[in-house]
Amino acid sequence: MDKIRRASHAGSWYTDNSKKLAEELDGWLSASGLSKSPDVRGVIAPHAGYSYSGRAAAYAFGNIDPTNISRIFLLGPSHHYYTPKCALSTATIYQTPVGDLPIDLEVIEELKATGKFELMDMHVDEAEHSMEMHLPYLAKVFEGHPVKVVPILVGAVSAESEATYGRLLAKYVDDPKNFFSISSDFCHWGSRFSYMHYDKKHGPIYKSIEALDRMGMDIIETGDAEAFKKYLQEYDNTICGRHPISVFLHMLKHSSTKIKIKFLRYEQSSQCKTTRDSSVSYASAAAKVDA
């Protein structure tokens, strides 16, 4: 009996009309003008409603050549459910309006056997949007290619745990049939996010936000998890996928395949000019085999 995780945010965060959604995704993907590369083994992409970040996300997903990939590891932060660990889905199928994605139960069992993961119940799984917002793009890009997903909800893990999970998952990076989709938005700025870091030397607030985000993006591109941690400690930038990104950096560090992250797109939901404004930043990156 299949256990189906419904597309719980369809009809609100993005359209539940499959034809319209397919057209939107195709439109954004072709507008990105990217050429697909088999060397792209992972992406970092936003997870806001598609009217906000759908276009930016295409600059990540548009790089993917689905030909040789048979498994996608999906790492997303937990917005509503507290856990100091990583949690695995108990579903067998993730639904999307543009095609369903089966869960790789074999790998889920493998990960369960390590004793390091907890299981999230369906209620937690369906309430979380960070991984769901990647699913329609993945279903679209991998259309006609049999692919299974391994969803991993990354909780409020300590720096030590990030390294532990990174080491544990690194072996999967060495299999070229595996792909990694890392879910994160960047700076959440404004009083409603209780974050208003502003360095006046950059001019208007939105330029200061961009400088702060780009500093983080540059550090992520170096692949240095320790430097990323220091940056977060110093500026406390509200990058909601900080833990999934950190786990991914540790995975790349411990795998024998050389993979480099490169950011290809940066956008803000609006331009903050006064302290009454607020915005969320979206950054899209591809992780590519560094020959």
Side-chain angles (χ1 to χ4, degrees):
M1 258 302 278
D2 276 321
K3 275 187 75 181
I4 294 171
R5 182 206 182 277
R6 295 167 305 132
S8 46
H9 295 74
S12 51
W13 289 56
Y14 56 99
T15 178
D16 54 4
N17 177 322
S18 56
K19 186 172 178 293
K20 194 167 170 243
L21 181 57
E23 281 168 6
E24 275 182 359
L25 296 170
D26 279 332
W28 287 321
L29 287 165
S30 63
S32 72
L34 297 164
S35 51
K36 298 173 160 56
S37 163
D39 289 335
V40 172
R41 296 283 311 285
V43 293
I44 298 171
H47 55 238
Y50 281 178
S51 60
Y52 297 103
S53 71
R55 181 182 64 174
Y59 286 84
F61 297 109
N63 295 281
I64 303 170
D65 179 347
T67 320
N68 301 316
I69 292 159
S70 55
R71 186 186 293 118
I72 302 162
F73 287 79
L74 186 51
L75 276 69
S78 180
H79 285 85
H80 311 292
Y81 170 73
Y82 175 78
T83 173
K85 290 177 153 185
C86 287
L88 303 168
S89 178
T90 54
T92 61
I93 288 179
Y94 269 17
Q95 267 184 345
T96 94
V98 289
D100 298 345
L101 294 162
I103 306 293
D104 193 323
L105 303 175
E106 226 173 291
V107 174
I108 295 281
E109 285 307 318
E110 237 173 70
L111 295 176
K112 247 191 245 179
T114 64
K116 301 274 188 215
F117 294 83
E118 60 173 73
L119 298 177
M120 56 174 153
D121 65 36
M122 195 63 87
H123 171 73
V124 169
D125 204 339
E126 289 187 340
E128 182 53 61
H129 64 275
S130 71
M131 294 190 282
E132 180 179 338
M133 298 310 292
H134 280 206
L135 298 174
Y137 259 118
L138 293 168
K140 193 85 198 81
V141 169
F142 285 92
E143 211 168 17
H145 298 266
V147 72
K148 290 180 174 180
V149 290
V150 181
I152 302 173
L153 183 76
V154 182
V157 290
S158 66
E160 293 71 41
S161 290
E162 286 170 350
T164 303
Y165 285 113
R167 279 194 297 272
L168 191 141
L169 294 166
K171 69 168 190 178
Y172 296 105
V173 179
D174 288 326
D175 181 347
K177 292 198 286 290
N178 290 334
F179 187 85
F180 303 87
S181 198
I182 313 299
S183 181
S184 185
D185 294 336
F186 273 67
C187 186
H188 298 60
W189 196 93
S191 57
R192 71 190 180 106
F193 300 117
S194 312
Y195 186 76
M196 299 181 80
H197 171 90
Y198 178 31
D199 186 342
K200 288 188 175 58
K201 77 163 183 274
H202 296 293
I205 294 170
Y206 67 91
K207 288 283 195 197
S208 163
I209 296 169
E210 177 166 355
L212 179 69
D213 279 330
R214 290 204 182 269
M215 193 191 304
M217 290 153 68
D218 289 347
I219 291 168
I220 292 167
E221 286 186 347
T222 68
D224 187 338
E226 305 308 316
F228 185 50
K229 188 172 147 255
K230 282 200 189 83
Y231 159 82
L232 291 170
Q233 281 169 340
E234 185 173 349
Y235 297 98
D236 204 26
N237 191 1
T238 41
I239 299 172
C240 55
R242 55 173 68 192
H243 297 302
I245 291 170
S246 298
V247 170
F248 188 50
L249 293 177
H250 283 289
M251 282 159 66
L252 298 185
K253 180 172 136 190
H254 291 287
S255 76
S256 45
T257 315
K258 282 276 302 149
I259 290 177
K260 251 184 105 46
I261 298 170
K262 188 167 170 34
F263 280 92
L264 302 167
R265 184 75 175 178
Y266 176 78
E267 296 184 14
Q268 293 171 350
S269 58
S270 59
Q271 291 189 336
C272 291
K273 290 172 179 149
T274 78
T275 51
R276 290 187 306 278
D277 296 335
S278 70
S279 71
V280 180
S281 309
Y282 312 119
S284 295
K288 204 169 177 179
V289 175
D290 194 22

